[in-house]
Amino acid sequence: FRFVAAAGAPARPGEIRFDMGEAEVTHEGERCTFEVLLGRLGLHDRTLRRIAEMVHDIDCKDDQHGHAETAGLERMLVGLAALERRDRQRLEQGFALFDGLYRALAEWPRARRPAPPSAKNKPRGGGRRRGGKT
């Protein structure tokens, strides 16, 4: 990543400009840059799609997707930017934030399943006994 002034910054060989004027990757129609990147890279991961929808709502300010986590994510990003002025540090902390968000969302269905009964609560011997009282 290299940060440049938005107006007329030429790309160096091998660079791809994004989310700025004259960029190779930026908003297209109603899709934000992150959504465009997912499409161009052919990434169809359900968790990435959910994150892209949150980023869309933050970036486009249209609450099109309305995920409960979006407001919290936005406040975290605002806080990160307020705490750190250096671009490289913001990137590193932002990567960690989004990696954690991805992991939490990817594991959410598993985390919500009821835990299996503990061995302490399991019936012994397969339940009812034959030929006697239960």
Side-chain angles (χ1 to χ4, degrees):
F1 283 91
R2 180 171 67 98
F3 292 90
V4 297
R12 295 177 183 164
E15 287 183 337
I16 299 172
R17 297 171 296 176
F18 70 95
D19 211 22
M20 59 185 277
E22 303 160 4
E24 290 80 14
V25 181
T26 190
H27 289 227
E28 288 181 1
E30 293 185 15
R31 296 184 310 155
C32 73
T33 303
F34 189 48
E35 292 168 304
V36 171
L37 278 172
L38 290 183
R40 289 202 187 165
L41 295 172
L43 298 173
H44 303 290
D45 180 283
R46 207 168 47 179
T47 304
L48 283 176
R49 167 88 341 239
R50 186 174 177 97
I51 293 171
E53 290 171 352
M54 288 184 239
V55 170
H56 170 101
D57 284 356
I58 292 167
D59 191 18
C60 298
K61 299 177 183 8
D62 62 6
D63 202 30
Q64 180 177 333
H65 303 286
H67 295 293
E69 303 89 354
T70 302
L73 176 60
E74 182 174 22
R75 298 314 313 150
M76 294 286 291
L77 292 170
V78 167
L80 190 152
L83 285 173
E84 187 56 66
R85 295 288 177 210
R86 295 171 296 171
D87 292 329
R88 177 58 62 196
Q89 300 334 90
R90 284 181 178 180
L91 274 177
E92 288 176 14
Q93 292 176 12
F95 291 154
L97 175 71
F98 278 96
D99 286 346
L101 177 61
Y102 181 92
R103 176 64 59 95
L105 292 172
E107 299 208 0
W108 181 250
R110 271 185 279 174
R112 294 202 48 176
R113 286 187 210 136
S118 68
K120 188 177 180 181
N121 297 330
K122 284 185 181 177
R124 293 186 190 173
R128 292 182 67 178
R129 290 187 273 167
R130 293 184 190 161
K133 294 181 182 178
T134 59

